[in-house]
Amino acid sequence: MIQKIPCFCDNNFSVEVPDEIDIDARPDYLEEIINGTFLNFTCPRCGKKHKPEFNITVLWPGKKIRIEVFTELDRGEFYRRKKEAPDKNPLKKETVIGYPELADRLMVLRDSLEPAAVEAIKYYLQLKAEETYPEDEIETWYAGSSDSSLEFHIHGISRSRNTGEGAKKEEEVAVMKISRDLYQKTLDDYIKHPKNEIFTALRVRSYLSVKNMMRPEELK
Ligand SMILES: [Zn+2]
């Protein structure tokens, strides 16, 4: 689909955006989404870089999944919609909102982890971080794993730093490592009791995300 991108230099330029991509057919897209260069465009007039988000569908037959991606702007509409049209596609539909969440989910699938267990761990990490930093808007992202641990990055922690010109707020990223044992325990729990309160609360229809726990009252 052709989309128009408005630039601050008053130039509107058109770009070609796919409605649907297939990760098995185009593994380069996986790389681009994860490193944040997917659908990056440069204004031909002034050279400014743009990172717009469009609603797209990401197919990953190898993981038996089809991800419907909404932009952050459509978050409210997703919650208000309440009902889902019947879905006959053989690839199970999941929803993510925003490209950072898409990148996160694709990394989790790439590393053969269970998204429900990862989101539950994010929830615990986020609760802890919010206790320590009640003033901050915190986001928790999956950042990779090794044989012994899973790594998460907590964004949005602000730290006041005294500079010559007075206090200055800076954002910090906290790195948290979770042992494989804890991940396995959470996963076993999910497999045994998928209807447990925590796992139910993490999901709204096809949308599984820690953000479902954090949404404001008016979107419930
Ligand atoms: Zn421009």
Side-chain angles (χ1 to χ4, degrees):
M1 193 193 290
I2 302 281
Q3 299 276 4
K4 280 229 181 292
I5 298 181
C7 189
F8 297 115
C9 73
D10 275 342
N11 181 28
N12 281 317
F13 61 101
S14 301
V15 294
E16 174 84 48
V17 177
D19 297 325
E20 191 174 278
I21 60 170
D22 181 329
I23 297 292
D24 286 336
R26 291 287 305 270
D28 52 318
Y29 279 146
L30 176 65
E31 219 35 61
E32 284 183 21
I33 292 167
I34 290 171
N35 67 29
T37 56
F38 180 64
L39 298 186
N40 286 191
F41 302 101
T42 305
C43 172
R45 188 200 278 174
C46 72
K48 185 184 158 37
K49 282 217 161 63
H50 292 260
K51 298 180 81 166
E53 289 192 355
F54 302 103
N55 295 350
I56 60 162
T57 301
V58 177
L59 306 175
W60 200 345
K63 298 286 181 184
K64 300 189 173 57
I65 204 167
R66 176 171 123 253
I67 305 174
E68 158 191 78
V69 186
F70 291 119
T71 65
E72 202 54 57
L73 282 173
D74 283 339
R75 180 176 291 274
E77 201 195 310
F78 173 81
Y79 286 124
R80 278 187 290 270
R81 208 193 316 159
K82 306 276 191 225
K83 263 193 204 148
E84 210 77 48
D87 188 28
K88 297 211 177 83
N89 195 298
L91 288 179
K92 185 178 161 232
K93 182 174 84 174
E94 287 288 327
T95 298
V96 301
I97 301 181
Y99 286 13
E101 199 166 69
L102 173 64
D104 180 289
R105 183 60 47 85
L106 293 181
M107 283 165 74
V108 167
L109 294 169
R110 175 199 66 189
D111 296 350
S112 300
L113 299 169
E114 166 52 53
V118 172
E119 295 300 311
I121 290 172
K122 280 191 201 167
Y123 179 60
Y124 298 130
L125 288 174
Q126 192 139 336
L127 283 186
K128 265 198 179 161
E130 283 176 354
E131 254 171 46
T132 320
Y133 310 98
E135 302 291 308
D136 294 331
E137 283 236 356
I138 286 165
E139 288 192 328
T140 309
W141 300 110
Y142 172 70
S145 57
S146 69
D147 288 345
S148 60
S149 64
L150 273 60
E151 190 173 307
F152 292 86
H153 289 178
I154 300 180
H155 289 242
I157 298 169
S158 58
R159 181 175 63 140
S160 286
R161 195 168 60 94
N162 276 314
T163 63
E165 297 109 69
K168 208 179 144 194
K169 282 235 171 186
E170 277 188 352
E171 255 203 23
E172 249 180 32
V173 176
V175 176
M176 303 289 293
K177 289 209 163 126
I178 294 295
S179 70
R180 278 268 174 189
D181 291 347
L182 181 64
Y183 167 75
Q184 193 57 46
K185 213 171 140 272
T186 312
L187 177 62
D188 293 344
D189 202 27
Y190 173 66
I191 291 167
K192 265 187 237 143
H193 314 284
K195 297 269 187 267
N196 258 6
E197 201 186 339
I198 163 100
F199 299 117
T200 310
L202 283 167
R203 183 176 278 284
V204 173
R205 306 193 308 272
S206 55
Y207 182 40
L208 167 77
S209 172
V210 67
K211 295 198 172 197
N212 287 326
M213 313 282 263
M214 309 295 172
R215 69 192 141 133
E217 208 47 51
E218 67 265 22
L219 290 178
K220 281 187 182 160

